[in-house]
Amino acid sequence: MIFRQLFEPDSSTYTYLLACAETGTAALIDPVIDTVERDLEMIQQLQLKLAYTIDTHLHADHLTGARVLRDKTGCQVAFPEVEKPECADIPMKEGVPLQFGSIILDPLFTPGHTSHHFAYRVDNGTQYMVFTGDALLIEGCGRTDFQSGDSAILYRSIREKLFTLADETLVYPGHDYNGRHVSSIGQEKERNPRLGMAKTEAEFITIMKNLDLPYPRKIDFAVPGNEQCGRCPKNVPAEFQGPCVRFDQGE
Amino acid sequence: MIFRQLFEPDSSTYTYLLACAETGTAALIDPVIDTVERDLEMIQQLQLKLAYTIDTHLHADHLTGARVLRDKTGCQVAFPEVEKPECADIPMKEGVPLQFGSIILDPLFTPGHTSHHFAYRVDNGTQYMVFTGDALLIEGCGRTDFQSGDSAILYRSIREKLFTLADETLVYPGHDYNGRHVSSIGQEKERNPRLGMAKTEAEFITIMKNLDLPYPRKIDFAVPGNEQCGRCPKNVPAEFQGPCVRFDQGE
């Protein structure tokens, strides 16, 4: 398998490129509209063909690159089935793997950050890699105070689904704000200060309740935009309109 | 490839089990004498055959399990060639990979913690894994104030050899004292507070000079014991004699 971990600095989002080395068939997990050119350049350099974009959830902190990538490459847009926007092509569903080339991507329903969140698990040939989106972050987790967030549900998603994977499973998060790139299930069980094995559900709920986070900068346009697979609604502020204009994605 | 990351808590040492899934041929990187029974049990459970023990260097903080494992399984003992003890079977050398089953282990000469230190690189099917011994630790590095340590040499080993590997390369260290399990070359370049890309050689040398670390608890018996591939010299204090007695490895 070909693998690249790519970073979008404005929203600190990781986009992951996975491709089958034999067939050249590729997928992008959580592409960002701002970095579509970079992603396409990498796909071209590696002589791959983009078959799918795959979102972990309906993001509130950035616009997905899914729609632009479909326009430019003819790929299909995969989205969590619970709240699949009408614009998407493929509903992701637990128990229904998505295969491209020899790669089998296994959706794990992990709600709590949003009610429809999925993590995706892939076998790299030696250990599993799990792309945890905004459910489990390295030494953290996604916030639960907007959209359909629910701390008790997130706790169970992580403890009962992600933490039952093998300790050697590699954790590739949807974001990191401190330059961390990778962890493992064993490491998060041991070290995650919110959700590690030493923390009870009640403690986790209290921690999340007291985070006192600022209102998300992009939520007012990102959520309606992502409900259209990455189209720019009319309320995108001037400072964020760059990719909307470049890709002619405005309403 | 079959892969397990195992931990010895007294010296906070990671031992790594690698095995070819088709042939069942296995190797242990940096086994510890205290945890030989656990390692053998795991090898038996997984129905593997131990072909090699492979040390990254001559340890000062624990006795290697190499000799006992050879006694019990008939495996061969691989050791850095620069200071290969006479007891070892295979001298590891940069440019000369060790193959077991379909696994190819590539030795990278990375002196500085000791003058004869090797890291080992293995392709997991998707990205490289590098077993960095005590050269590069997660957000740290091995000390350079005893045996043949040299901070300037360690700096160059890491910057010119390990940090030239792909960013996605997984870093599996020889120790961690804080529950961390895995990192990547990209993460260490960005975050390592001693050796990250922002640090100069002069800054690194000053950091290492000022660490003011305690005298290693086991060095007086570990070094002569490891020069015999994990035999217990006469000066092992009573509190550490457990495995020497269990395995009849005393002088």
Side-chain angles (χ1 to χ4, degrees), chain A residues 5 12 15 22 33 73 78 85 91 101 107 115 131 144 147 150 152 170-171 174 180 182 207 243 249:
Chain A
Q5 182 174 30
S12 297
T15 296
E22 292 85 45
I33 195 168
T73 68
S115 61
F131 300 92
T144 53
Q147 286 182 289
D150 184 311
L170 296 167
V171 171
R180 290 166 299 207
V182 62
I207 290 168
Q249 285 294 323

Side-chain angles (χ1 to χ4, degrees), chain B residues 158-207:
Chain B
I158 292 180
R159 297 298 283 265
E160 292 165 18
K161 202 156 284 182
L162 297 176
F163 280 4
T164 58
L165 303 175
D167 280 352
E168 285 83 359
T169 304
L170 296 166
V171 170
Y172 284 103
H175 301 282
D176 195 85
Y177 306 95
N178 294 294
R180 290 167 299 207
H181 291 215
V182 63
S183 179
S184 70
I185 291 295
Q187 179 168 323
E188 291 310 312
K189 281 160 75 174
E190 199 166 335
R191 275 178 62 92
N192 194 301
R194 294 183 189 169
L195 277 158
M197 295 309 283
K199 287 282 187 294
T200 64
E201 183 176 321
E203 286 172 312
F204 176 65
I205 290 170
T206 305
I207 290 168

